[in-house]
């Protein structure tokens, strides 16, 4: 099955499970960040569609004095992260995704990344735009960045088709376990 077919298939499966409001334990994510991250700068995503919610995680990280940031996609289709806290307004970008109003640009030391599918080798199948892969490639030249993918266990497949530009995760957290 190619990436396009996998995206379609896994989207349907994830959609069924998303209606059950299954979540990933925020405390286990925070514990992992505290153990592995060199500082308190965390890049997250604002949940869209059937993606696992990061809202509780954002609130908890804010209360623990982490610097949280969300991505903005510019006109050149490049992604950068900007500081944000849950009390600040968001705007809707051209993809229908909420993003912060431009604030302070942040280089996260930890990224919390959405995905459509993953495998036990920590490969991630995203939405096909390559935004996270390009961003990871760019920042890994500048700093250490811990990459944590969030998914439901139903999104695990035997093997994600991998291209040379695809970036592996360091960890993938589901409602059932942490892959590392």
């Amino acid at each position: 099955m190619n990436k396009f077919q996998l995206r379609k298939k896994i989207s349907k499966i994830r959609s069924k499970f998303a209606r059950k409001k299954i979540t990933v334990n925020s405390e286990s994510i925070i514990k992992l960040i505290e153990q592995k991250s060199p500082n308190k700068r965390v890049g997250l995503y604002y949940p869209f569609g059937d993606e696992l919610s990061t809202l509780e995680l954002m609130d908890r990280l804010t209360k623990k004095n982490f610097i949280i940031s969300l991505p903005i996609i510019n006109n050149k289709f490049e992604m950068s992260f900007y500081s944000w806290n849950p009390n600040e307004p968001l705007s809707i970008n051209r993809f229908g995704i909420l993003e912060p109003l431009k604030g302070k640009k942040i280089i996260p030391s930890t990224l919390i990344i959405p995905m459509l599918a993953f495998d036990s080798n920590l490969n991630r199948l995203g939405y096909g735009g390559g935004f996270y892969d390009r961003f990871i490639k760019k920042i890994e030249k500048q700093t250490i960045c811990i990459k944590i993918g969030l998914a439901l266990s139903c999104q695990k497949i035997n093997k994600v088709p991998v291209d040379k530009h695809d970036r592996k995760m360091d960890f993938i957290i589901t409602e059932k376990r942490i892959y590392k």
Side-chain angles (χ1 to χ4, degrees):
M1 204 176 293
N2 66 32
K3 286 185 175 185
F4 177 79
Q5 293 164 325
L6 275 172
R7 286 184 182 102
K8 202 170 174 180
K9 179 182 177 181
I10 299 297
S11 289
K12 286 180 184 175
I13 293 168
R14 183 179 72 175
S15 183
K16 285 181 192 175
F17 280 85
R19 286 187 226 122
K20 296 179 182 180
K21 302 289 185 212
I22 299 169
T23 60
V24 173
N25 185 320
S26 291
E27 282 308 311
S28 64
I29 299 169
I30 292 170
K31 185 177 175 183
L32 183 63
I33 294 169
E34 289 173 334
Q35 290 172 352
K36 303 293 182 182
S37 184
N39 61 50
K40 290 189 150 201
R41 293 188 316 259
V42 181
L44 298 113
Y45 62 91
Y46 199 93
F48 177 75
D50 293 328
E51 291 174 343
L52 278 172
S53 179
T54 53
L55 300 177
E56 179 189 339
L57 178 60
M58 287 186 224
D59 284 338
R60 288 179 184 237
L61 287 169
T62 301
K63 288 175 184 164
K64 288 182 167 261
N65 296 314
F66 280 81
I67 299 165
I68 64 172
S69 57
L70 295 175
I72 292 178
I73 309 294
N74 70 18
N75 291 334
K76 296 178 183 175
F77 296 98
E78 297 167 331
M79 184 165 68
S80 296
F81 281 77
Y82 290 84
S83 63
W84 182 79
N85 75 58
N87 299 320
E88 295 175 344
L90 295 164
S91 63
I92 301 171
N93 71 15
R94 65 182 161 272
F95 303 109
I97 298 169
L98 292 171
E99 59 185 22
L101 303 173
K102 281 203 177 182
K104 183 180 178 188
K105 198 172 195 176
I106 300 288
I107 297 176
S109 60
T110 301
L111 280 175
I112 306 297
I113 302 172
M115 61 183 64
L116 279 172
F118 70 96
D119 63 27
S120 56
N121 292 320
L122 303 177
N123 293 305
R124 164 191 176 266
L125 180 67
Y127 299 97
F131 296 110
Y132 278 97
D133 293 317
R134 288 192 303 275
F135 181 76
I136 291 165
K137 181 179 180 181
K138 182 174 77 174
I139 66 165
E140 283 183 333
K141 293 176 183 173
Q142 304 170 29
T143 188
I144 294 169
C145 183
I146 309 301
K147 300 168 297 295
I148 302 172
L150 292 188
L152 295 170
S153 56
C154 67
Q155 293 172 253
K156 184 177 183 288
I157 62 174
N158 288 334
K159 185 170 178 21
V160 170
V162 178
D163 296 321
K164 66 179 181 179
H165 63 271
D166 292 327
R167 297 289 183 253
K168 281 188 178 214
M169 300 294 97
D170 296 305
F171 302 91
I172 295 175
I173 301 178
T174 72
E175 77 282 9
K176 294 183 178 177
R177 66 175 279 200
I178 296 174
Y179 294 84
K180 48 187 172 177

